[in-house]
């Protein structure tokens, strides 16, 4: 109970911290791509967009102190974090259990430009040969594994923050 009350009291700092961590993760991804020459696969690109959405929604949520404002934008951030975690988990699964026939698919932008969205989305999530390759590891985990850990952490913190804000608003209305 004390932790949730504390979390609700510092909600703006928590939201700014999440946004800052997302920006740091995006910068690290840019370093991996441009500094080390690792080309992102379609699932990596989708995870980047999810990370941008988490950063933007938590950043916007931190701009005002209103509980309703913070709760609404935090829910949007939570949905983006959950989507990113799902994509990272799917990529990790593909890396652990690669398909028997791996084909290199088109890049994300090429799929969106050349196919209707109803065809492009399944192609993105099918996982090409590129999505199964592990180019970089840290402490035994691939980029997809660490991306999942990050998104799961954001989901846990945002869920706790939402519970804290809900309890705080219920406490205010019942008092």
């Amino acid at each position: 109970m004390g932790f949730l009350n504390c979390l609700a009291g510092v909600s703006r700092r928590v939201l700014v911290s999440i946004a800052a961590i997302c920006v740091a993760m995006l910068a690290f991804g840019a370093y991996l791509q441009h500094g080390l020459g690792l080309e992102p696969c379609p699932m990596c690109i989708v995870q980047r967009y999810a990370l941008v959405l988490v950063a933007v929604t938590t950043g916007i949520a931190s701009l005002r102190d209103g509980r309703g404002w913070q709760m609404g934008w935090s829910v949007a951030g939570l949905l983006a974090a959950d989507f990113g975690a799902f994509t990272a988990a799917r990529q990790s699964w593909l890396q652990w259990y690669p398909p028997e026939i791996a084909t290199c698919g088109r890049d994300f932008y090429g799929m969106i430009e050349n196919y209707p969205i109803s065809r492009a989305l399944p192609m993105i999530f099918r996982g090409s040969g590129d999505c199964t390759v592990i180019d970089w590891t840290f402490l035994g985990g691939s980029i997809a594994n660490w991306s999942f850990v990050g998104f799961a952490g954001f989901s846990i913190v945002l869920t706790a923050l939402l519970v804290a804000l809900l309890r705080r608003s219920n406490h205010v209305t019942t008092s």
Side-chain angles (χ1 to χ4, degrees), residues 10 31 38 59 68 83 115 126 151:
V10 295
Y31 165 73
L38 302 179
F83 177 70
Y115 295 103
R126 187 174 324 130
F151 281 119

Side-chain angles (χ1 to χ4, degrees), residues 11-20 58-59 61-62 70 74 158 161:
S11 58
R12 289 180 84 176
R13 283 187 228 155
V14 170
L15 292 165
V16 167
S17 297
I18 291 172
T58 56
S62 71
Q70 287 180 352
S74 293
L158 286 170
L161 179 66

Side-chain angles (χ1 to χ4, degrees), residues 48-69:
R48 283 187 186 179
Y49 284 127
L51 202 54
V52 167
L53 282 173
V54 173
V56 168
T57 55
T58 56
I60 291 172
S62 71
L63 293 177
R64 290 183 33 197
D65 231 358
R67 280 186 299 261
W69 174 270

Side-chain angles (χ1 to χ4, degrees), residues 47-113:
Q47 290 169 60
R48 283 187 186 179
Y49 284 127
L51 202 54
V52 167
L53 282 173
V54 173
V56 168
T57 55
T58 56
I60 291 172
S62 71
L63 293 177
R64 290 183 33 197
D65 231 358
R67 280 186 299 261
W69 174 270
Q70 287 180 352
M71 287 174 64
W73 285 105
S74 293
V75 166
L78 176 62
L79 292 173
D82 288 346
F83 177 70
F86 169 78
T87 306
R90 177 71 178 138
Q91 184 177 3
S92 293
W93 177 266
L94 288 172
Q95 289 175 345
W96 291 329
Y97 305 104
E100 289 182 27
I101 300 172
T103 59
C104 292
R106 294 173 161 257
D107 68 308
F108 180 76
Y109 300 108
M111 285 187 267
I112 296 298
E113 289 173 0

